[in-house]
Amino acid sequence: MLSATTREFYKSQLQQLSDAKRRRQCTTYEPLDSTHVRLNGKTYLMMASNNYLGLTHHPQVLTSAQKAINAYGTGSGGARLTSGTYPLLPQLETQLAHLKETERALVFNTGYMANVGTISGLMETGDYILSDALNHASIIDGCRLSGATIKVYKHNNCEHLEQILKELPPTGKRLIVTDGVFSMDGDLAPLPDLVTLAKRYDALLMVDDAHATGVIGEGRGTAHHFNCSKDVDIQLGTLSKALGSEGGFVCANELLINTLINRSRSFIFSTALVPAAIGAAQQSLNLLTNDTTLYNQLHHNIEYMTQALIQEGIAVTHKTTATALVSNYQPTPIFPIVVGSAEKALHLSQQLFEKGIILTAIRPPTVPQGASRLRLTVTAAHQEADLQYVAHTLGELI
């Protein structure tokens, strides 16, 4: 039982978050399809999901998940190194390695666990990790758990990165790690420049493609988009965003994957992913690699929303990595509508909710102080009428 002193401590912490408009809570929605949910009998348009290809309710994906349950049950029963691996997992890993053009792949239970387990499994005390300032929290936590010395370089600033690399001592391994598509701004990492620096300074290069897989590079991700798949040592991703399932993965060469199997604690000590998630992911990959319809529809919707927002007078940040890479510009489905204060973001989010639109307010510490925003995301499943309604409503409110 909590003591009075402990109880007051936690109550005070929550009150401070409330006063700063930073307190969070879970809301229970009933999903109706890939773009609509129901709450208290009312239907809402979902504009805050990472279900970029709209695959969570695709009939073939649902059927594949059900077949996996019928064949292998509802749960795996244990960690892969103790109770074995059912056949679906190595099949999925082969598909993922093919998608990312690598020798091997390894599936984790979540993208978070993939980042934490990969970085802490490959790096250790005496090593050096160079991490982009806007990297995802899972990358940051993996860096901390590794025990390596962490150097943070300015967002997408390769000049600053090289300056840090030059000043490192000659001992220990080096890892450059970056998001491929950054989750809060939708911009791309300057991967070709990072490849050059990794080679010049003998560093491993790792890219987290959680928001890039299925989204750019014909769905293969950032490395394929920039035509440098063979030069990126480690490609991470998730099954739970564009692929409409659950889980994470890392793709690399044989040596690095075998190292992770033996050193990655979040892989070794976790019960294997459930069969339904594997079956769903397999079919999603089949749809992505064998038919460009959904990928093309996603990019049509991205362009449609871009123009709709511009017509409403809402600034659309053109997401490009650097002047030198403008020719490689690729739009992404993440539209950051920065409004400034957390209070204003919350107010706009509530106004949109009252008009049947779910568009979540993103506040510190997820984004810097003064950069609170609405993080609008577009999927292949949205209809043009949906996008037009959202853009027009935003235009009226902002």
Side-chain angles (χ1 to χ4, degrees):
M1 182 175 178
L2 292 178
S3 69
T5 302
T6 303
R7 184 182 299 275
E8 286 305 312
F9 173 79
Y10 289 122
K11 285 178 65 177
S12 175
Q13 279 199 328
L14 288 172
Q15 187 59 51
Q16 289 176 28
L17 290 172
S18 295
D19 293 343
K21 306 300 180 183
R22 291 170 57 176
R23 184 167 175 174
R24 291 161 171 80
Q25 62 183 18
C26 296
T27 303
T28 302
Y29 299 119
E30 178 189 353
L32 299 177
D33 54 32
S34 295
T35 57
H36 295 87
V37 300
R38 182 185 292 129
L39 176 64
N40 297 328
K42 182 177 178 180
T43 298
Y44 293 85
L45 179 61
M46 174 60 71
M47 299 302 300
S49 169
N50 296 324
N51 181 25
Y52 298 125
L53 294 176
L55 287 170
T56 55
H57 290 72
H58 193 287
Q60 294 180 39
V61 176
L62 293 173
T63 298
S64 184
Q66 186 62 57
K67 285 182 178 179
I69 290 175
N70 293 339
Y72 299 105
T74 58
S76 61
R80 291 173 70 179
L81 297 181
T82 55
S83 58
T85 296
Y86 43 84
L88 291 182
L89 265 173
Q91 293 171 14
L92 175 63
E93 288 168 340
T94 297
Q95 285 179 276
L96 290 166
H98 177 72
L99 181 77
K100 296 293 184 177
E101 302 170 288
T102 61
E103 292 178 1
R104 290 276 303 277
L106 187 66
V107 168
F108 288 72
N109 287 43
T110 67
Y112 186 99
M113 293 172 70
N115 264 325
V116 168
T118 297
I119 297 171
S120 63
L122 295 178
M123 307 301 285
E124 56 193 348
T125 302
D127 294 336
Y128 297 89
I129 301 174
L130 301 103
S131 177
D132 188 286
L134 295 188
N135 276 340
H136 189 264
S138 57
I139 294 177
I140 295 170
D141 290 352
C143 293
R144 291 169 175 168
L145 285 171
S146 72
T149 298
I150 304 165
K151 301 288 186 179
V152 178
Y153 63 92
K154 297 175 184 177
H155 176 52
N156 279 349
N157 190 323
C158 289
E159 290 184 3
H160 186 220
L161 173 58
E162 182 164 24
Q163 179 184 338
I164 297 173
L165 285 164
K166 285 179 179 178
E167 296 172 355
L168 292 181
T171 57
K173 302 187 297 296
R174 303 171 182 192
L175 171 69
I176 299 170
V177 58
T178 182
D179 279 349
V181 172
F182 288 86
S183 60
M184 289 297 111
D185 292 287
D187 55 336
L188 276 63
L191 211 54
D193 292 341
L194 296 179
V195 166
T196 298
L197 291 177
K199 290 180 177 179
R200 184 179 298 163
Y201 293 95
D202 190 25
L204 289 167
L205 177 57
M206 172 177 152
V207 59
D208 177 4
D209 263 355
H211 296 272
T213 300
V215 171
I216 64 170
E218 300 174 324
R220 294 177 181 270
T222 316
H224 186 81
H225 170 70
F226 286 116
N227 194 31
C228 57
S229 297
K230 303 302 180 184
D231 298 311
V232 177
D233 300 290
I234 305 156
Q235 298 184 59
L236 270 92
T238 178
L239 307 174
S240 58
K241 293 182 171 61
L243 297 180
S245 182
E246 182 66 31
F249 61 88
V250 56
C251 296
N253 63 28
E254 184 92 17
L255 177 62
L256 292 180
I257 295 298
N258 283 332
T259 299
L260 291 176
I261 290 172
N262 288 276
R263 285 179 53 88
S264 176
R265 294 172 65 84
S266 63
F267 170 79
I268 296 168
F269 297 105
S270 290
T271 296
L273 208 59
V274 298
I278 301 298
Q282 284 185 297
Q283 185 56 42
S284 292
L285 282 168
N286 288 335
L287 291 168
L288 176 63
T289 55
N290 296 324
D291 187 351
T292 62
T293 301
L294 290 176
Y295 180 82
N296 292 339
Q297 183 62 45
L298 172 62
H299 284 274
H300 168 81
N301 286 353
I302 293 169
E303 178 59 26
Y304 188 92
M305 177 57 88
T306 300
Q307 295 306 317
L309 289 173
I310 290 173
Q311 289 174 9
E312 294 293 337
I314 298 173
V316 176
T317 302
H318 289 283
K319 300 174 274 291
T320 172
T321 56
T323 303
L325 297 176
V326 167
S327 61
N328 288 318
Y329 164 70
Q330 176 80 35
T332 66
I334 300 168
F335 292 81
I337 303 174
V338 180
V339 298
S341 70
E343 185 174 14
K344 184 173 183 180
L346 281 171
H347 180 63
L348 282 170
S349 179
Q350 181 59 38
Q351 286 181 302
L352 288 161
F353 183 79
E354 292 168 0
K355 293 180 178 294
I357 300 168
I358 294 176
L359 222 177
T360 309
I362 307 297
R363 297 156 285 158
T366 306
V367 294
Q369 193 72 34
S372 292
R373 66 196 62 189
L374 302 175
R375 179 185 178 271
L376 187 155
T377 53
V378 170
T379 77
H382 283 117
Q383 302 298 311
E384 289 184 358
D386 297 334
L387 305 180
Q388 189 63 54
Y389 174 65
V390 171
H392 182 67
T393 305
L394 282 167
E396 289 183 328
L397 295 176
I398 295 179

